[in-house]
Amino acid sequence: MIVGVLVELSNKNIDKEFFYLVPDELVSNIKVGIRVVVPFGTQKLEGFVLEIKNDKEIDIELKEIFSIVDSEVILSNELLKLGKVMQEKTLSTLISCYQVMLPKALKAKNGVIINKKYDIYYKLGNIPEHLSKGQEKIIKLFENKNVVSREEIVSISSSILRTLESKNILVKDKVEHYRLDYDKVTKREYILTKEQRSVVDEIENSKDLVYLLHGVTGSGKTEVYIELICNIISKGKTAIVLVPEISLTPQMVKRFTERFGNRIAALHSALSEGEKYDEWRRIMRGEVEIVIGARSALFAPISNLGLIVIDEEHSDTYKQDDSSPRYNAIEMSIERAKLNKNCKVVLGSATPSLDSYARGKKDVYHLVSLPNRVNKKPLPNIEIIDMNKNLKNMRGHFSNILIEKIKSKIDLGEQVILLLNRRGYSSFISCKDCGYVFKCPNCDITLTYHKSTNNLRCHYCGYAEGMVDICPNCNNHSIDTIGVGTEKIEEELKLFIPKARIVRMDFDTTTKKGSHKKIVKEFSEHRYDILLGTQIVAKGLDFENVTLVGVINADTSLNIPDFRSSETTFSLLSQVAGRSGRKDKEGEVILQTFNKEHYAIRYVKYHDYLGFYNMEMQIRRELKYPPFYFLTYIRVSGKDNNICYKESLKIKKSLEKYLDKTIILGPSSSSLFKVNNVYRYGIILKYKKQDNLIPVLEKMIDVYKSNRKVIVDLNFNPRHF
Ligand code: ADP
Ligand code: ZN
């Protein structure tokens, strides 16, 4: 028997099957989709079995595999196919596409061992005639039981136990134990509103593949997902629910558990590798019907998939930008759905990405909507505070109006969420007095400050200008890069409202495992009055007692050096506003800004998604940005700045020759120009239709795959540059 094996090294040169002989004693255990250990040059590597050949003519030149790692298949046929599709879409190595699907414990990598956990049990063995007092006491424990767990006999020392075991009086046994326990919750079920019901019916009665559910904040999208899943499960199928990140997982898991009990597995970044491994095995063994998790949960080894839900589909966490394979989880979900008969994909958001909504309008996605809140109340009123005018009436970073409002809410026994917008912080330069921001004259993109060269640069086209310290708008000496953190805001709050009970939630306070869940739980039990945080507080949270949302600085995200900065801001502010007044009490929002007139802020004030969409689409069309054009980012990096730059120029020149319908920008130094002494340049491709794009880019990668001086990476339609 011969097997084709894809080894663990992610290197374009060896990213293909290598063939090995299987020794006779291993033949019966070989399956496609398991890991094996093979000789590779002088090394010993792990790899995945992709193919089995029962060839008669055996090539005796082939080496034999050393051993088999898995008894169960870890890459099903479906996932093997999906990996190939991902490779074609991202042009990364096939091995990286498979590795990204698996928890660390199951990745092909020699030497990584993550153990299963076991519960230890004892059974009675042969009881001798004469027992010591101590032994008798232990035997008594078995009076009404067949087995006794180690926990029940903690008081007995291990040396006594060992003696009993060696005399065969007690027999040790072990049962596999999953690390995660789900909280017990009481069952709960809602009767869908008429609007929810008609959305569910429309999705179920239609034959389309992808649906975009545009539902305002608090319109009950989650309940729609739950109902759809319920019906899928009753047909014997399964579902995957993707959420943007850990911040949403606890509440989502809780709502699903209330309905489905423990037939759910959760996969997210806060789990330990051991826990991920356990959850993964529960899924593979068919012990769950629903998987909830962040981006990579889309690769969960669940079979018989009937539905994939992507909540908060506008979230940029669905695109893996930072490492290869740079895949888009929405795109890959659709591909996965295609591999399952009648499987549907439902994308949901109050502020769909422009790309998705444009597809909805063109009927590429089937558009459904929930225009009203479940509680039949209007969306919260949004008051805009003009910081340019209000600077005199400020206390620290707070306008008097916001402080007074917070106080009155606390007096009423209601709760407050405060957002400190830190998106795009400190990468741009602005005037502290008037909020002026420097922009590229060619691209309408915020310029980024480069400390090493003390100038401002555009990451799209490479434009640069010198740093100044006087604001060209108001002529004050107030140009600044430094931003404020949540600690500082908390200090101010304590000073102005001493009685307020404040809890902070940002990436610093939530890195510890479970801390996030704890904050969510304690805030919902009203142990705090104010939840203060970065954009992590904007997404999806559902607290019934929150009636005020305050945004301390609406603007920073307008200045992210990215053509999506208005969209990001509109969506972030709409989402955070949507946390207010979700149940019986009506909510309100106070939004502090330097850019009162900016269209993103204006449309947020009127909860006008469509207005924003139309305006932004016009701008995108004019400036040739997505969704009118596709973008692809080519990164050239290396230790030698000169060589790096020269190679980027060379790439640009040759691409210009072959890609006749593509606009090519750069090379420009990227936002992280020099990291760990590695220099980076970026080339941006903009195109509507370029038929030969993939072969040309493949050729480029091929040319550079053995180059030791520079590395060339590709990112199709990145969310971050
Ligand atoms: P969205 O995800 O659209 O922001 P949610 O699904 O979180 O909205 O629903 C908002 C609130 O309304 C939640 O507290 C939810 O429990 C409640 N809710 C949703 N659907 C119903 C319903 N049919 N009957 C009663 N309450 C509902
Ligand atoms: Zn530019």
Side-chain angles (χ1 to χ4, degrees), residues 198-213:
S198 84
V199 163
V200 168
D201 288 347
E202 183 166 346
I203 294 175
E204 285 180 345
N205 296 332
S206 153
K207 292 219 167 336
D208 292 321
L209 175 65
V210 189
Y211 300 79
L212 175 60
L213 169 55

Side-chain angles (χ1 to χ4, degrees), residues 416-418 546-551 576-577 579-580 588-591:
V416 178
I417 290 181
L418 288 180
V546 170
T547 54
L548 174 66
V549 164
V551 178
V576 77
R579 303 312 109 208
S580 189
E588 54 191 314
V589 178
I590 291 183
L591 211 152

Side-chain angles (χ1 to χ4, degrees), residues 188-193 196 215-225 252 255 258 311-312 350 370 373-375 540-544 575 578-579 582-583:
R188 202 193 51 172
E189 205 168 312
Y190 289 121
I191 295 165
L192 293 190
T193 63
Q196 287 171 320
V216 299
T217 55
S219 59
K221 293 185 287 296
T222 312
E223 250 16 81
V224 167
Y225 308 149
M252 201 65 147
R255 284 173 73 174
E258 283 169 352
D311 190 29
E312 313 279 341
L370 289 172
R373 282 196 153 180
V374 174
N375 64 7
L541 294 172
D542 185 37
F543 300 110
E544 58 180 49
Q575 294 288 342
R579 303 312 109 208
R582 293 170 69 83
K583 271 278 164 79

Side-chain angles (χ1 to χ4, degrees), residues 697-710:
L697 293 179
E698 262 177 335
K699 186 89 210 305
M700 173 189 77
I701 289 180
D702 213 49
V703 168
Y704 281 94
K705 74 182 181 188
S706 305
N707 191 315
R708 287 172 176 275
K709 295 270 163 58
V710 295

Side-chain angles (χ1 to χ4, degrees), residues 92-109:
S92 357
T93 57
L94 185 58
I95 184 71
S96 69
C97 293
Y98 290 137
Q99 299 280 44
V100 81
M101 294 179 167
L102 295 165
K104 197 165 180 192
L106 293 169
K107 288 189 202 297
K109 185 138 182 53

Side-chain angles (χ1 to χ4, degrees), residues 191-327:
I191 295 165
L192 293 190
T193 63
K194 240 183 169 163
E195 277 189 0
Q196 287 171 320
R197 172 52 56 200
S198 84
V199 163
V200 168
D201 288 347
E202 183 166 346
I203 294 175
E204 285 180 345
N205 296 332
S206 153
K207 292 219 167 336
D208 292 321
L209 175 65
V210 189
Y211 300 79
L212 175 60
L213 169 55
H214 177 213
V216 299
T217 55
S219 59
K221 293 185 287 296
T222 312
E223 250 16 81
V224 167
Y225 308 149
I226 289 177
E227 182 71 14
L228 288 168
I229 291 170
C230 206
N231 296 341
I232 281 291
I233 290 177
S234 70
K235 288 186 200 148
K237 295 194 184 183
T238 61
I240 293 176
V241 180
L242 298 187
V243 291
E245 55 190 309
I246 161 86
S247 66
L248 273 186
T249 330
Q251 282 198 330
M252 201 65 147
V253 170
K254 179 160 178 275
R255 284 173 73 174
F256 275 75
T257 334
E258 283 169 352
R259 185 71 177 263
F260 300 107
N262 60 3
R263 309 276 295 169
I264 298 172
L267 295 170
H268 55 79
S269 58
L271 299 185
S272 70
E273 287 304 329
E275 288 168 339
K276 279 184 198 158
Y277 180 33
D278 286 357
E279 289 293 81
W280 203 90
R281 289 196 329 282
R282 281 178 71 217
I283 300 166
M284 210 191 62
R285 291 174 181 166
E287 292 171 24
V288 307
E289 281 135 356
I290 305 167
V291 176
I292 302 178
R295 181 172 68 218
S296 64
L298 116 83
F299 305 117
I302 200 160
S303 47
N304 222 353
L305 202 54
L307 182 69
I308 303 175
V309 171
I310 303 183
D311 190 29
E312 313 279 341
E313 69 85 32
H314 59 276
S315 168
D316 53 13
T317 58
Y318 290 128
K319 176 71 202 280
Q320 174 156 314
D321 271 337
D322 51 358
S323 60
S324 191
R326 297 185 166 84
Y327 68 95

Side-chain angles (χ1 to χ4, degrees), residues 371-474:
N372 300 301
R373 282 196 153 180
V374 174
N375 64 7
K376 304 232 162 48
K377 299 226 159 57
L379 287 161
N381 180 50
I382 299 181
E383 185 176 352
I384 308 277
I385 309 287
D386 184 350
M387 302 283 275
N388 284 311
K389 286 217 188 84
N390 261 281
L391 282 172
K392 309 277 167 322
N393 300 318
M394 294 285 289
R395 287 196 258 169
H397 292 82
F398 291 87
S399 58
N400 281 332
I401 304 174
L402 181 51
I403 288 287
E404 291 312 316
K405 211 32 160 233
I406 297 172
K407 276 188 190 158
S408 74
K409 290 294 177 188
I410 295 178
D411 289 341
L412 287 169
E414 296 171 359
Q415 287 168 290
V416 178
I417 290 181
L418 288 180
L419 169 72
L420 179 71
N421 188 355
R422 278 182 64 90
R423 291 208 59 152
Y425 238 52
S426 82
S427 58
F428 67 95
I429 304 283
S430 73
C431 172
K432 269 205 301 196
D433 287 341
C434 72
Y436 178 83
V437 173
F438 295 81
K439 291 209 164 179
C440 172
N442 312 322
C443 309
D444 196 35
I445 298 287
T446 307
L447 297 175
T448 301
Y449 177 58
H450 283 246
K451 205 167 175 184
S452 55
T453 44
N454 197 37
N455 64 3
L456 302 169
R457 296 189 209 162
C458 171
H459 293 155
Y460 282 57
C461 70
Y463 169 87
E465 64 182 50
M467 173 67 181
V468 292
D469 52 7
I470 295 174
C471 173
N473 188 41
C474 69

